[in-house]
């Protein structure tokens, strides 16, 4: 079991106190139940329809499957996907 204390809680590089996602250019994903996903550090939306959304990241592609999917918010830094989310895949 992993414990959270000090710098590990904030997911930072110990040498410079820089978040790991910034150093490695990783996509950040936050899910709220089956209803919403917040994505950060992505490149672009590759495909979009009510049943599937594909998002390109630097190292991989993220596929979100579900019903009534939509992009509720989008800017150059983050996006919010809403609907009923059934599956999230990394390709």
């Amino acid at each position: 079991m992993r414990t959270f204390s000090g710098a590990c809680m904030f997911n930072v590089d110990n040498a410079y106190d820089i978040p790991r996602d910034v150093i490695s250019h990783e996509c950040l994903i936050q899910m709220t139940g089956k209803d919403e996903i917040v994505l950060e550090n992505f490149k672009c939306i590759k495909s979009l329809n009510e049943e599937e959304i594909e998002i390109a990241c630097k190292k991989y592609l993220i596929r979100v499957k579900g019903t009534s999917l939509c992009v509720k918010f989008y800017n150059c830094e983050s996006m919010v996907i809403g609907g009923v989310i059934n599956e999230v895949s990394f390709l």
Side-chain angles (χ1 to χ4, degrees):
M1 178 156 78
R2 184 174 174 184
T3 60
F4 296 99
S5 63
C8 291
M9 182 177 173
F10 297 104
N11 202 24
V12 297
D13 182 275
N14 290 332
Y16 303 104
D17 291 334
I18 299 172
R20 289 184 195 158
D21 62 293
V22 173
I23 292 171
S24 61
H25 304 286
E26 289 289 340
C27 183
L28 294 176
I29 302 171
Q30 177 183 348
M31 290 186 69
T32 305
K34 290 183 70 169
D35 300 328
E36 188 175 85
I37 294 178
V38 179
L39 289 137
E40 297 179 7
N41 299 339
F42 58 91
K43 283 184 164 184
C44 65
I45 297 173
K46 297 297 271 185
S47 67
L48 170 69
N49 63 55
E50 289 187 350
E51 295 178 349
E52 182 177 288
I53 300 175
E54 289 187 344
I55 302 102
C57 298
K58 183 171 180 140
K59 298 178 180 180
Y60 42 81
L61 190 71
I62 296 174
R63 180 181 295 148
V64 179
K65 290 185 177 182
T67 56
S68 302
L69 296 178
C70 66
V71 177
K72 296 165 68 175
F73 174 81
Y74 180 91
N75 69 18
C76 64
E77 296 177 2
S78 64
M79 88 169 72
V80 178
I81 297 172
V84 179
I85 298 159
N86 297 326
E87 180 181 328
V88 178
S89 305
F90 295 84
L91 310 171

